[in-house]
Amino acid sequence: MSAFNPLPVTTRFAPSPTGSLHLGNARTAFFSYLWARQSGGRFILRIEDTDAERSQLRFRDALMGELRWLGLEWDEGPDIGGPSAPYSQSERGEFYRQLYAQLEARDQAYPCYCTAEDLELSRKLQRMSGQPPRYAGTCRGLSAAQRAERVARGLKPTLRFAVPKDQIIEFADAVHGPQRFSSNDIGDFIIRRDDGTSAFFFCNAVDDSAMGVTQVLRGDDHMTNTPRQLLLLDALGLRRPGYGHVGLLVGEDGAPLSKRHGSTSAQEFRERGFLSTAILNQLFRLGHAGDTDGWLPADQMRAHFRPQHLGRAPARFDESQLLHWQKETLERMSTTEIRAWLGAEDPAEFVDLIRHNVVLPADAVPWRAVVRGDLQPLGEGERRIIAAAGREFFAAAAAAYTEGNSELKMLTKVLKERTGRKGADLFMPLRVALTGSAHGPELAPLLKLIPPETARRRLESHAQNS
RNA sequence: GCUCCCUUCGUCUAGAGGCCUAGGACACGGCCCUCUCAAGGCUGUAACACGGGUUCGAAUCCCGUAGGGAGCGCCA
């Protein structure tokens, strides 16, 4: 039974364009997308590029490319606009400035002249004395004269939010349930950097609210950031979105997914030949339980998505499960589609033959070599099969083949008569000699695709030097 | 250090006090099918972190313990 959502939910994905689309981010984007689609709401793409140093346009474009490849179409975004434009934070400076002015006018924010070194030292001292490393409030009570003095010294201030004391912040987390924090555990944090750009806590919260996001879905690592964003929104009189914190996606060793786990970006999986539907099927089940166990086509996932079944515990990414969904997806594709996916101009009959022996495009390479090329060196098991069959067997096979028994059915019939062998003893040596492997697609049709001269040569080679 | 979060088979998860001698999926093993592999069918191994409560009854509620994780950044 899927969730009954009387109200359309507006969700968003707000990546910073500082790298490729990580699988973990792809997953939260996907869940957000599904939630919006399921409820008939909107899905917004917002680019958090206030860090000019690290943000790059090429990352933004790559991010959007991966999102599209996965089929996560957004209703509002930097490329298509929308009622809350612009959708790149680097272009929203004017909006932020108004809010800063509002905060400063009410003494809910104040300039801080502490240098990065000052702060680092302070944190170090706090840590050493067993205190939480929080901003000490040094600049909170500065008079106008003191501020002027610091400006005169050439110090460029940041803007800090003045966190109110003795406040209890409560919110209902969509995945964790009721949460309760004390504002006394929160230090005054920076909402504007000394270069005038906006800091994450600020623009992220403010934009979610201003853009009409009703449900923020993000990683667990943001859980304890939420109360400070709520405080900020409250101070500004802005509407609070709902928040939901999903357990992180981790690698096989339990550590957050990173480079040393191999592929971690959507792009890398795509380049290896994974299909977007396979990845979606996998992500759908990582930290989420839908109402079905089976494979789902991409466009049906929204109907089976259950936001109330989002996971709290970290989910391990296991490639063997992805491989399973890859196979399931492949099974449902037409020969034409698979041929395009393989991208090698293979004849349709060849694709049809090998499709069940291929999970990734690279798996097709050896089969292509069987039909037009040279065989790989034999493996241990294969050599044993050849040796067990014996030279005479292959001499007989080559002879029979040369006499015109080029069809497997005829070939085995003649060989059965001449050598007395049958079953696996008959087929396996032929399979190995002809294809180089003990496993593979059906042999008869495969043999038809091997040039006669090549087939003969392969049989003969084992009659001579084994 | 402080605050917060997490903990069911190897993995992903179902489970919202009795329907649980804990279900499904992936992986793994066996059997069937079969020239092989894959697919398919059948089948097997395998989990409630630990300790106390509450209750007629706890995987489910409460309290501790242990182990993981996050945040406390002029990163997002």
Side-chain angles (χ1 to χ4, degrees):
Chain A
M1 184 190 86
S2 70
F4 176 60
N5 286 306
L7 295 172
V9 171
T10 298
T11 60
R12 52 68 164 178
F13 178 49
S16 65
T18 55
S20 46
L21 179 64
H22 182 92
L23 223 50
N25 289 336
R27 188 185 58 146
T28 34
F30 181 41
F31 289 157
S32 298
Y33 165 85
L34 287 175
W35 204 343
R37 288 287 171 273
Q38 178 180 80
S39 68
R42 304 174 73 72
F43 177 55
I44 300 173
L45 175 65
R46 182 177 71 232
I47 303 296
E48 308 225 323
D49 55 353
T50 59
D51 183 354
E53 297 273 305
R54 302 200 301 145
S55 297
Q56 291 185 31
L57 211 54
R58 67 182 178 95
F59 286 135
R60 187 199 80 161
D61 292 340
L63 235 31
M64 295 200 295
E66 296 308 320
L67 251 20
R68 286 218 171 82
W69 176 66
L70 287 169
L72 311 185
E73 298 286 339
W74 48 96
D75 305 301
E76 303 172 29
D79 54 335
I80 55 174
S84 306
Y87 290 89
S88 288
Q89 291 184 328
S90 57
E91 296 168 23
R92 298 176 62 77
E94 185 46 44
F95 172 57
Y96 302 146
R97 265 190 291 282
Q98 290 169 18
L99 299 178
Y100 290 136
Q102 184 182 332
L103 248 18
E104 283 193 278
R106 295 191 206 150
D107 279 329
Q108 288 171 316
Y110 60 90
C112 168
Y113 299 89
C114 297
T115 65
E117 298 78 57
D118 293 340
L119 298 170
E120 184 130 355
L121 181 67
S122 161
R123 274 194 294 269
K124 200 171 241 172
L125 290 173
Q126 286 171 321
R127 259 181 228 280
M128 275 164 47
S129 63
Q131 296 298 305
R134 274 202 284 273
Y135 180 63
T138 319
C139 297
R140 187 160 180 166
L142 256 33
S143 66
Q146 286 171 311
R147 287 176 188 172
E149 182 271 326
R150 274 154 235 246
V151 172
R153 267 199 282 151
L155 291 176
K156 282 197 139 189
T158 59
L159 190 65
R160 279 188 193 270
F161 178 65
V163 174
K165 291 298 146 204
D166 301 320
Q167 281 217 2
I168 297 300
I169 308 114
E170 289 180 296
F171 67 99
D173 190 281
V175 354
H176 290 273
Q179 300 296 316
R180 199 183 157 87
F181 293 87
S182 163
S183 71
N184 294 341
D185 293 322
I186 303 171
D188 294 349
F189 53 93
I190 291 176
I191 56 178
R192 187 182 64 205
R193 305 187 186 100
D194 67 3
D195 64 359
T197 60
S198 298
F200 167 79
F201 285 133
F202 178 83
C203 47
N204 176 266
V206 141
D207 279 344
D208 283 337
S209 182
M211 291 180 172
V213 172
T214 61
Q215 192 53 249
V216 171
L217 215 52
R218 44 169 33 170
D220 245 352
D221 49 342
H222 286 292
M223 181 92 240
T224 50
N225 290 160
T226 308
R228 57 198 85 215
Q229 295 194 306
L230 254 15
L231 244 20
L232 203 42
L233 257 19
D234 290 352
L236 253 6
L238 292 172
R239 202 195 89 267
R240 290 178 169 199
Y243 290 88
H245 295 91
V246 191
L248 257 29
L249 191 57
V250 299
E252 270 151 57
D253 55 359
L257 219 51
S258 72
K259 277 293 162 204
R260 68 176 198 285
H261 294 105
S263 307
T264 57
S265 70
Q267 186 187 35
E268 287 172 297
F269 283 98
R270 190 190 60 190
E271 282 165 0
R272 285 171 65 195
F274 281 100
L275 299 151
S276 62
T277 303
I279 291 181
L280 257 22
N281 266 277
Q282 174 67 86
L283 295 181
F284 189 72
R285 294 162 173 83
L286 248 28
H288 169 251
D291 61 4
T292 172
D293 267 334
W295 177 92
L296 290 169
D299 63 359
Q300 274 175 37
M301 292 185 184
R302 69 185 60 170
H304 296 276
F305 177 65
R306 298 192 294 181
Q308 66 277 35
H309 280 259
L310 253 11
R312 292 168 289 280
R316 258 171 231 243
F317 176 74
D318 178 357
E319 193 164 302
S320 75
Q321 286 176 22
L322 209 211
L323 252 14
H324 169 76
W325 300 116
Q326 174 84 347
K327 286 182 196 167
E328 294 267 326
T329 307
L330 244 15
E331 284 305 317
R332 290 165 172 87
M333 286 164 65
S334 69
T335 303
T336 312
E337 288 168 329
I338 291 185
R339 186 169 175 274
W341 169 70
L342 288 172
E345 309 278 314
D346 293 307
E349 52 182 349
F350 171 77
V351 173
D352 237 358
L353 238 193
I354 65 154
R355 56 177 294 170
H356 300 297
N357 291 275
V358 170
V359 180
L360 291 173
D363 300 330
V365 173
W367 302 119
R368 217 168 272 137
V370 165
V371 170
R372 44 166 209 252
D374 293 315
L375 263 28
Q376 314 262 24
L378 296 183
E380 178 77 21
E382 279 78 9
R383 278 204 302 273
R384 248 196 310 251
I385 290 168
I386 295 289
R391 264 179 266 186
E392 302 76 19
F393 175 81
F394 291 106
Y401 186 85
T402 310
E403 285 161 26
N405 302 298
S406 59
E407 296 240 326
L408 188 68
K409 202 166 186 181
M410 284 305 294
L411 186 61
T412 52
K413 182 168 182 264
V414 172
L415 274 177
K416 193 173 178 179
E417 285 162 5
R418 296 187 187 171
T419 66
R421 301 205 188 169
K422 57 183 181 177
D425 288 339
L426 179 61
F427 279 95
M428 286 306 280
L430 289 176
R431 167 176 289 285
V432 172
L434 258 9
T435 71
S437 169
H439 314 298
E442 216 187 328
L443 192 52
L446 190 56
L447 178 56
K448 282 186 193 163
L449 297 180
I450 302 175
E453 183 51 31
T454 305
R456 190 191 55 76
R457 185 163 30 81
R458 287 176 186 167
L459 291 172
E460 241 165 28
S461 70
H462 293 110
Q464 289 149 10
N465 47 350
S466 58

